[in-house]
Amino acid sequence: MPRIPPTARKALLTLHLVTSLGWLGADLVLLTLGIAVQRGADPAVFYPVGAVVGTVLFAPLSVLVWLIGVVSALLTPWGLLRYRWVLVKLVITTVMVGLVLFLLTPNLRHAGALGAALPARDRADLVIAPAVSTTLMIIATVLSTYKPWGRRQTARTTTARNPRPRRPGPGPKATTAP
């Protein structure tokens, strides 16, 4: 596995944190806009703003977060598949990026174009989607902070920890001092 110097690793981590926080911030803006419309704000004003935020900020940040996270995992000791928490974060982020690019962004563009003519059932989706993604981002943050589950158990990691099996039988004999 290639190693990078500590300064480069910290720069990569900083970039990952900044893009992740930007992604979370854009998500909270989308959630706020969706809730504002549900509470009576003018959809002809708020939905076009949501379309711009989703298209110009949210979608590109989601891809950047995923790319920087993968590069970071590959170039640091964490690895991409070595630790369960990293693997779970990768799965969560990959699913979220797919949903953002192929579901949410087109829905935001559609809402921006229709404005007040957007049906009520579609308006609810523009609150539910950012609420779910905010929750998933918080889960990913908790995983990064607490790093639960340790290393994945593979034949390689098991062998590395226990190089040779113990033989059954009595342990070392105790000697008594005179």
Side-chain angles (χ1 to χ4, degrees):
M1 156 184 18
R3 300 282 181 179
I4 59 174
T7 306
R9 185 179 58 78
K10 287 179 183 177
L12 196 57
L13 175 61
T14 301
L15 188 58
H16 187 58
L17 287 170
V18 168
T19 55
S20 297
L21 289 170
W23 192 21
L24 178 61
D27 195 31
L28 290 171
V29 167
L30 292 174
L31 179 60
T32 303
L33 292 171
I35 291 171
V37 170
Q38 294 290 331
R39 300 193 72 191
D42 185 3
V45 173
F46 281 72
Y47 285 151
V49 171
V52 170
V53 169
T55 306
V56 175
L57 194 60
F58 193 65
L61 280 172
S62 69
V63 173
L64 270 175
V65 167
W66 186 87
L67 285 172
I68 294 167
V70 168
V71 168
S72 179
L74 291 174
L75 295 179
T76 62
W78 295 116
L80 196 56
L81 304 174
R82 184 173 294 139
Y83 292 89
R84 288 186 190 107
W85 67 269
V86 176
L87 183 60
V88 170
K89 272 187 62 177
L90 175 65
V91 169
I92 288 171
T93 307
T94 302
V95 168
M96 285 176 51
V97 168
L99 291 173
V100 164
L101 295 178
F102 300 111
L103 221 65
L104 184 60
T105 303
N107 287 349
L108 287 169
R109 285 187 187 132
H110 181 69
L114 289 181
L118 189 70
R121 62 179 160 71
D122 293 337
R123 291 180 185 198
D125 289 344
L126 295 178
V127 173
I128 294 168
V132 169
S133 62
T134 297
T135 303
L136 290 174
M137 285 185 217
I138 291 169
I139 290 169
T141 302
V142 168
L143 290 173
S144 295
T145 304
Y146 288 95
K147 298 172 181 53
W149 308 311
R151 262 191 146 162
R152 283 187 46 228
Q153 291 296 322
T154 63
R156 186 173 152 201
T157 57
T158 305
T159 305
R161 278 193 280 163
N162 303 322
R164 57 189 166 131
R166 293 186 80 176
R167 292 185 195 157
K173 294 189 179 189
T175 57
T176 56

